[in-house]
Amino acid sequence: MKIAVDAMGGDYAPEQIVFGAVRAAKKYHCDIVLVGDEQKIRDVLKHENGWENLGITIHHTTEVIEMDEHPAEAVRSKKDSSLVVATRLVKEGECDAVLSAGSTGAAVTAAQLILKRIRGIGRPTIATPIPTPKGATLLLDSGANVDSKPIHLVQSGMMGAIYAEYVFGTKNPKVGLLNIGEEETKGNEQAKETYALLKEMHTINFGGNAEGRDIPKGNFDVVICDGFVGNVVLKFAEGLAKTIMKLIKEAIKDGGVLAKLGALMLMPTLKKLGKRLDASEYGGAPLLGVNGVCIISHGSSNAKSICSAIGVANDYVNGNVLEHIRDALTQEEVLADEGEKK
Amino acid sequence: MKIAVDAMGGDYAPEQIVFGAVRAAKKYHCDIVLVGDEQKIRDVLKHENGWENLGITIHHTTEVIEMDEHPAEAVRSKKDSSLVVATRLVKEGECDAVLSAGSTGAAVTAAQLILKRIRGIGRPTIATPIPTPKGATLLLDSGANVDSKPIHLVQSGMMGAIYAEYVFGTKNPKVGLLNIGEEETKGNEQAKETYALLKEMHTINFGGNAEGRDIPKGNFDVVICDGFVGNVVLKFAEGLAKTIMKLIKEAIKDGGVLAKLGALMLMPTLKKLGKRLDASEYGGAPLLGVNGVCIISHGSSNAKSICSAIGVANDYVNGNVLEHIRDALTQEEVLADEGEKK
C-alpha cells in the first residue's frame, strides 16, 4: 500500500500534512510519498526522529495550486504542481491512492482529467461521512457537481452504498433521497425524477425520501442530493457547530464561579461526546466515480485529520470499491449514464 | 388589531393554540378570533379564568385540514375548514392577520387562492428567522416553493429586506445569496442568474454570496435561496439541535456523579443561552408576497410559540410591510415578475 499525499495543499501545509503522514506511516504501516517542495518538507520532517525508518519518501515538485485559482485552468497549466503530480502517481500505478487538503475543485478536476471517470459514470461525487448517534451517514454529493441529472444522483446512491458496505461494513445500506417531504410526490423536478428512477433499481436498497432532520438523526446509511444542497448543508453544520461552541464558552465565562466549576466537572463527559461527533475522526471524504482512489480532506485539516484520512484511503483501497462499482454498472444496465457508455 | 387564529391546526391543537391565544390577548392587548370547532375551543377556554374579559371571540367551523392532505385539493374542497375560514376573515377585512400551525402547504395555498399574490410578485415566500449570536438571520424561501426562477429569489430578497427593516428594525439590511462559494462565478445556474440580477438592484443592499456557514454565524441579515434548499437547511438544523441535546443528556446520565453535579451547576447558564437560541421565541414565519398578513407556525408549536407568533403578526401589521413591498415594486420596475404584471 502506497499513498501519494499532496504535502502543499491545505491551510496548515506543509507542517500538519507532513506530521499527519508520519503519524499514519507509524499507525497503518503503509508507504507514503510526500509530494511537494522537497526542502520545505525536509524542514518539517527534521522534527520527526526516525522518520527515515518509516516508508516515507519525497517526490519533489515546483508548483502549488492555490485555493483561489480556477480549478481547470490551474490543473491544466501547473503540470508540476504537488496535486497534479500526486494524482499522476496513482494514474501511473506508482501509488494506490492520492490525498489532498488543498482546493476541492482542483482535486476533483485533477482526478477527472488524469484518472478519468469510470466508464458509465456521468459525474464523480464527494461522499462526506456525517457523524450520527448510530455511526455515520454518508452524504453525497457534497460539492463536486451542481445541477446534476437524476441519473447522476442515482449513481451517487449506488456508489455511496458500495462504499458504506465495503468500507464501513454496513450490510445492505439504506439509501435515502434528500427531499422536503416524505411522500413520493414531494420535491423539485430533480428529486421527483430521481425518486422514479431509484424505485426501479434492484441493486440499491432505496428507503424513500430523507428529510433534512434525518441526516443528523442517522436514519439512513447513505443520503443523496445535488452537490449544491450537500455543500450548503455541510457548511451550515460546520458553522452551526462552531457558533454553538463559541456561545457556550462565552456563556460559561460570563456565568460566574458556579458555571465555571460545573463546566470543569462536566468537561470529561463532553470531551468524550465531542470526540464521538468529531468529523476530523473521519479525516477525509472519498471522491467516488473516478478510476483511482482519491481522498479529499478539509482545508483546515490538522495532523490528526490527515492521519485519519490516510486510514480512510487504506480502507477505500482494501474495500475494492472501484471494482464493485464497475460490477454494479454491468449488473444493472439502466444505472449507466447513457452519454458515458462507450 | 384583530388576529384570526386557526385553532385546529398543529400537533397540539386546539389546546396549545387556544392557551397561546389567551396569553397573547393579555400580553399584546389585541383582539383574537379563534376559528374552529366551538365546543372543543370552549372546552379548552374553560380552564382559563376570565378569558371572556379579553378580546377573544370564537368563529365556529366544521372542517379541519389534516397534515397529510393534498394542499390545493383540501383548500378547494373544505370551504368550512378552520384554515380557509380564518384566511377568508382577512380577505374580507374582518381581521388584520391570519395564523396557522397546521399544514404549511395548505396555509400557503389558502393564502395564494384567497388573499392572492401582490401584483408583480411571482411567488410567495416563507421567511424564517434563524437565531444567531447577532440576533436573527431571515432565511427565505424556507419551503413555500421549489424550482423558483431567479426573479423570484430576487423578490424574496427585496421582501425579506423590507421585513427585516420594518419589523426587526434593521437599518439597510444586508442581503446574501445562499451559494457554495463566495465568488460571483460559483454555484448552480439559478444562483448565477440570481447573482447577476441582484447586482443591478438599487433598492436591495446586496452583500454577495452567503455560504452555509454564514447563516448560523449571522453574517447577513437576510439570506435567500430556493425553497428546496431552505427547507432542507431548516429541518437539518432542527434535527441537529435535537440530536445534540439528546446525546448530551445521555452522556450526562452515563457520566457519573461528577458529570451530573457539573451539569446541575451549569444548567442556569445553559438555559439562558438556550432561550437566546430558541427558535420558538420567534414563534412563526411570515409568508411574504400575498395581499394580507399571514403567519405560519411550526406544527409542534406550544402555547408560548403561538403567543410569540401572534406578537409577530402584530409587528408585521404595524410595520406596514405590504405597502412597502408594493412601493418597492413601483420604484424599481425590473423587480416585478414579467408574467405577474397586469
Side-chain angles (χ1 to χ4, degrees):
Chain A
M1 179 76 68
K2 202 191 242 185
I3 317 277
V5 174
D6 170 8
M8 313 307 282
D11 302 346
Y12 307 113
E15 288 79 10
Q16 293 297 314
I17 313 296
V18 172
F19 290 144
V22 171
R23 205 191 274 203
K26 287 176 189 163
K27 187 170 177 183
Y28 303 110
H29 309 290
C30 57
D31 289 347
I32 291 172
V33 182
L34 289 168
V35 185
D37 184 306
E38 182 163 3
Q39 193 51 56
K40 286 186 179 160
I41 293 171
R42 282 193 185 279
D43 285 349
V44 183
L45 278 174
K46 71 183 181 207
H47 299 288
E48 294 277 359
N49 282 330
W51 72 267
E52 300 90 344
N53 306 324
L54 302 164
I56 295 181
T57 50
I58 302 172
H59 190 117
H60 179 65
T61 55
T62 55
E63 294 175 300
V64 175
I65 294 178
E66 305 293 344
M67 292 302 279
D68 54 356
E69 287 189 73
H70 186 278
E73 282 170 22
V75 168
R76 285 203 176 89
S77 65
K78 292 187 166 173
K79 301 274 186 222
D80 199 41
S81 62
S82 52
L83 171 67
V84 167
V85 172
T87 310
R88 221 161 48 208
L89 290 177
V90 175
K91 171 73 182 173
E92 290 159 359
E94 280 291 304
C95 289
D96 300 292
V98 53
L99 182 155
S100 178
S103 155
T104 297
V108 172
T109 307
Q112 287 206 76
L113 292 176
I114 298 165
L115 303 173
K116 310 282 186 204
R117 274 169 292 161
I118 291 172
R119 180 177 294 181
I121 293 291
R123 290 176 159 202
T125 173
I126 300 174
T128 303
I130 312 233
T132 76
K134 300 172 188 169
T137 291
L138 212 54
L139 180 74
L140 65 177
D141 174 21
S142 56
N145 285 291
V146 297
D147 291 328
S148 291
K149 287 194 287 180
I151 187 67
H152 301 147
L153 268 66
V154 172
Q155 292 185 335
S156 283
M158 174 269 286
M159 294 193 287
I162 286 172
Y163 190 87
E165 182 159 358
Y166 294 98
V167 177
F168 291 167
T170 313
K171 273 186 190 155
N172 198 25
K174 191 170 140 197
V175 176
L177 172 66
L178 192 57
N179 206 333
I180 60 170
E182 284 176 20
E183 304 84 0
E184 184 171 350
T185 53
K186 283 286 170 89
N188 55 15
E189 283 309 310
Q190 184 193 50
K192 283 190 262 187
E193 286 174 36
T194 305
Y195 194 107
L197 287 177
L198 280 167
K199 263 204 324 187
E200 303 302 321
M201 296 289 153
H202 307 296
T203 50
I204 297 173
N205 175 17
F206 178 46
N209 286 333
E211 291 195 85
R213 66 174 75 96
D214 290 315
I215 303 173
K217 288 185 177 172
N219 291 340
F220 292 82
D221 301 303
V222 175
V223 170
I224 54 176
C225 61
D226 190 84
F228 187 91
V229 181
N231 191 270
V232 165
V233 165
L234 268 189
K235 286 182 181 158
F236 178 83
E238 201 186 298
L240 189 62
K242 275 193 191 156
T243 303
I244 289 178
M245 283 309 297
K246 194 177 145 223
L247 288 174
I248 290 179
K249 276 184 194 157
E250 282 173 14
I252 290 170
K253 215 177 135 195
D254 300 343
V257 177
L258 203 65
K260 281 192 194 75
L261 196 60
L264 215 62
M265 288 159 73
L266 197 53
M267 203 50 79
T269 300
L270 291 182
K271 274 203 175 147
K272 222 160 78 185
L273 177 62
K275 196 171 145 67
R276 195 172 144 199
L277 296 178
D278 184 359
S280 78
E281 297 281 324
Y282 292 93
L287 179 72
L288 298 170
V290 290
N291 287 304
V293 170
C294 173
I295 301 289
I296 292 171
S297 285
H298 199 286
S300 68
S301 291
N302 57 17
K304 183 181 149 208
S305 313
I306 294 297
C307 174
S308 306
I310 293 172
V312 172
N314 267 296
D315 295 343
Y316 187 170
V317 174
N318 288 329
N320 287 321
V321 171
L322 302 187
E323 277 174 49
H324 289 294
I325 291 174
R326 290 187 194 107
D327 271 4
L329 285 165
T330 55
Q331 269 178 49
E332 197 162 16
E333 275 242 329
V334 65
L335 252 173
D337 186 342
E338 285 303 316
E340 301 302 327
K341 285 188 201 166
K342 290 213 181 125
Chain B
M1 180 76 69
K2 201 190 246 185
I3 317 277
V5 174
D6 170 9
M8 311 308 282
D11 302 345
Y12 308 113
E15 288 78 11
Q16 293 296 314
I17 314 296
V18 172
F19 288 145
V22 171
R23 204 190 275 202
K26 288 176 187 162
K27 187 171 178 184
Y28 303 111
H29 309 290
C30 57
D31 289 347
I32 291 172
V33 182
L34 289 168
V35 185
D37 185 306
E38 181 161 4
Q39 193 50 55
K40 285 187 179 160
I41 293 171
R42 283 195 184 277
D43 285 348
V44 183
L45 278 173
K46 71 181 180 207
H47 300 288
E48 294 277 359
N49 282 330
W51 71 268
E52 300 88 346
N53 305 324
L54 302 164
I56 294 181
T57 49
I58 302 173
H59 189 115
H60 179 66
T61 55
T62 56
E63 292 175 302
V64 176
I65 294 179
E66 306 293 343
M67 293 301 279
D68 54 357
E69 287 189 74
H70 186 279
E73 283 170 22
V75 168
R76 284 202 177 91
S77 65
K78 292 188 167 172
K79 302 275 184 220
D80 200 42
S81 61
S82 52
L83 171 67
V84 167
V85 173
T87 310
R88 221 161 48 208
L89 289 176
V90 175
K91 170 72 181 175
E92 289 159 1
E94 280 291 303
C95 289
D96 300 292
V98 54
L99 181 154
S100 178
S103 154
T104 298
V108 172
T109 307
Q112 286 205 76
L113 291 176
I114 298 165
L115 302 173
K116 312 281 185 202
R117 274 168 291 161
I118 292 172
R119 181 177 294 182
I121 293 291
R123 289 175 160 204
T125 173
I126 300 174
T128 303
I130 311 233
T132 75
K134 299 171 187 169
T137 291
L138 212 54
L139 180 73
L140 64 177
D141 176 20
S142 55
N145 286 291
V146 298
D147 292 327
S148 292
K149 287 194 288 180
I151 186 68
H152 301 146
L153 268 66
V154 172
Q155 291 184 335
S156 284
M158 173 271 284
M159 295 193 286
I162 286 172
Y163 190 88
E165 182 158 358
Y166 294 99
V167 177
F168 292 167
T170 313
K171 274 188 190 152
N172 199 24
K174 191 170 141 196
V175 176
L177 172 66
L178 191 57
N179 206 332
I180 59 170
E182 285 176 19
E183 304 84 0
E184 184 172 349
T185 52
K186 284 283 169 91
N188 55 15
E189 282 309 308
Q190 183 193 51
K192 283 190 263 188
E193 286 175 35
T194 305
Y195 193 106
L197 288 175
L198 280 166
K199 264 204 325 188
E200 303 302 321
M201 296 289 153
H202 307 297
T203 50
I204 297 174
N205 175 19
F206 179 46
N209 286 333
E211 292 194 84
R213 66 174 75 96
D214 291 315
I215 302 173
K217 287 185 177 172
N219 291 341
F220 291 82
D221 300 303
V222 175
V223 170
I224 53 175
C225 60
D226 189 85
F228 188 91
V229 182
N231 190 271
V232 164
V233 165
L234 268 190
K235 286 184 182 158
F236 177 83
E238 201 186 298
L240 190 62
K242 275 194 193 156
T243 303
I244 289 178
M245 284 309 297
K246 193 177 144 223
L247 288 175
I248 290 179
K249 276 184 195 158
E250 281 173 13
I252 290 170
K253 214 177 136 197
D254 301 342
V257 177
L258 203 66
K260 282 192 193 78
L261 195 61
L264 214 63
M265 288 158 75
L266 196 54
M267 203 49 80
T269 300
L270 290 183
K271 274 204 175 145
K272 222 161 76 185
L273 177 61
K275 198 171 144 67
R276 194 172 145 200
L277 295 179
D278 185 0
S280 78
E281 297 282 323
Y282 291 93
L287 178 72
L288 298 170
V290 290
N291 287 304
V293 169
C294 174
I295 301 289
I296 292 170
S297 286
H298 198 286
S300 68
S301 292
N302 56 17
K304 183 183 151 208
S305 313
I306 294 296
C307 174
S308 306
I310 292 172
V312 171
N314 267 297
D315 296 343
Y316 186 169
V317 175
N318 288 330
N320 286 322
V321 171
L322 302 187
E323 277 174 48
H324 289 294
I325 291 173
R326 290 188 194 107
D327 271 5
L329 285 165
T330 55
Q331 269 177 51
E332 196 161 15
E333 275 242 328
V334 64
L335 251 173
D337 186 341
E338 284 303 316
E340 302 302 326
K341 284 188 201 165
K342 288 208 184 134

